Amino acid sequence: MFIRIVKMSFSENHIDDFLTNFELNKNKIRNFKGCNLLELYRDKKDSNIFFTYSHWESEADLETYRQSDLFKAVWSKTKPLFNAKPEAWSVDKIASVN
């Protein structure tokens, strides 16, 4: 499994645009080959900051998505809305306690 976390910060006047775009595309992203989980989080202290958390079968699957027309369409609408450079982490799960 390959886990990806992306931190995105938006100007307040662009948040609704981001959320609308995410809502329109979340199922397409989640159903993209190799994507097993997609979640969106909002920071409790700074409501302009969002995180996507996704599980992929492999790094190759994530890269295939990042080269896809779907990603290009989503990103082309998201990128102009940022008020800071997005940050991304690829992480390995060490433990999970339920």
Side-chain angles (χ1 to χ4, degrees), residues 7-10 12 15 41-51:
K7 177 185 176 186
M8 301 167 288
S9 181
F10 302 96
E12 192 168 324
I15 290 173
Y41 299 98
R42 190 174 203 170
D43 191 87
K44 285 193 168 288
K45 293 182 181 177
D46 186 342
S47 62
N48 295 344
I49 296 176
F50 292 81
F51 299 86

Side-chain angles (χ1 to χ4, degrees), residues 1-4 29-36 54-68 70-71:
M1 178 182 359
F2 189 79
I3 301 170
R4 183 73 160 190
I29 297 167
R30 169 53 188 90
N31 291 314
F32 197 89
K33 182 183 178 296
C35 184
N36 296 324
S54 56
H55 287 190
W56 296 85
E57 287 290 324
S58 68
E59 186 172 1
D61 288 326
L62 173 61
E63 284 307 312
T64 299
Y65 165 67
R66 293 184 69 213
Q67 299 303 317
S68 72
L70 174 58
F71 175 83

Side-chain angles (χ1 to χ4, degrees), residues 16-32:
D16 287 342
D17 294 333
F18 165 70
L19 291 173
T20 297
N21 190 39
F22 185 84
E23 187 65 28
L24 289 171
N25 291 288
K26 67 183 181 183
N27 290 319
K28 295 176 196 172
I29 297 167
R30 169 53 188 90
N31 291 314
F32 197 89

Side-chain angles (χ1 to χ4, degrees), residues 77-91:
K77 290 185 172 144
T78 305
K79 190 175 180 179
L81 307 176
F82 293 137
N83 67 1
K85 184 178 177 183
E87 299 177 61
W89 297 270
S90 299
V91 299

